[in-house]
């Protein structure tokens, strides 16, 4: 299920290193939720269903002063090595310069949303 996420993050990272403006990603619900979070947090310009292929998303990458807005992806939990955080462990995490995405029973949430809804879960990725 989460392999699509790793593929999408890798495509975004490689496209930003190559200074591309658009990336195409296969349409999946989990990718839709993560793209909504990235758009809400200001890391991408937006995304939409591709006119060429309706089974793909067009992701529009964002740059500031010709530098990518997403400076780093750090995978916290990998498909072969999963870790889970309880609520009290989530409160101990302090992220000032980015966001952490968690997979919870309420869907994909940021660390601030996890604290607000009092949920723990599997940390997926740190985005700076």
């Amino acid at each position: 299920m989460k392999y699509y996420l790793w593929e999408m993050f890798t495509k975004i990272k490689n496209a930003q290193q190559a200074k591309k403006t658009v990336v195409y990603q296969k349409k999946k619900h989990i990718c839709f939720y993560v793209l909504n979070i990235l758009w809400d947090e200001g890391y991408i310009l937006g995304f939409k269903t591709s006119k060429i292929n309706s089974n793909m998303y067009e992701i529009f990458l964002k740059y500031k002063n010709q530098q990518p807005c997403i400076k780093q992806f750090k995978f916290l939990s990998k498909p072969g090595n999963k870790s889970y955080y309880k609520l009290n462990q989530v409160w101990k995490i302090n992220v000032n310069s980015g966001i952490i995405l968690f997979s919870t029973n309420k869907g994909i949430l940021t660390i601030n949303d996890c604290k607000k809804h009092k949920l723990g879960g599997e940390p997926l990725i740190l985005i700076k």
Side-chain angles (χ1 to χ4, degrees), residues 22-96:
V22 177
V23 175
Y24 294 93
Q25 171 61 31
K26 190 171 183 177
K27 217 175 187 183
K28 293 291 178 188
H29 286 298
I30 193 165
C31 294
F32 174 77
Y33 296 126
V34 171
L35 287 171
N36 268 331
I37 292 172
L38 290 177
W39 182 66
D40 288 341
E41 297 289 331
Y43 287 108
I44 61 173
L45 289 175
F47 67 98
K48 68 177 185 176
T49 303
S50 175
K51 293 179 183 176
I52 300 167
N53 185 354
S54 63
N55 292 329
M56 303 286 273
Y57 285 127
E58 283 184 73
I59 305 167
F60 303 101
L61 303 177
K62 186 175 181 180
Y63 297 91
K64 286 183 183 175
N65 299 329
Q66 298 179 350
Q67 296 295 320
C69 284
I70 300 173
K71 304 210 180 351
Q72 178 184 15
F73 285 120
K74 184 173 182 184
F75 299 112
L76 302 174
S77 181
K78 297 178 182 162
N81 183 18
K82 296 184 179 195
S83 62
Y84 298 93
Y85 286 15
K86 295 186 232 175
L87 178 61
N88 60 356
Q89 292 172 314
V90 171
W91 277 99
K92 292 179 183 178
I93 299 172
N94 187 11
V95 180
N96 294 331

Side-chain angles (χ1 to χ4, degrees), residues 7-20 23 61 63 73:
E7 178 185 349
M8 181 178 71
F9 291 136
T10 304
K11 283 182 182 181
I12 290 173
K13 181 177 71 170
N14 291 340
Q16 284 190 327
Q17 288 176 349
K19 304 285 186 195
K20 296 197 176 202
V23 175
L61 303 177
Y63 297 91
F73 285 120

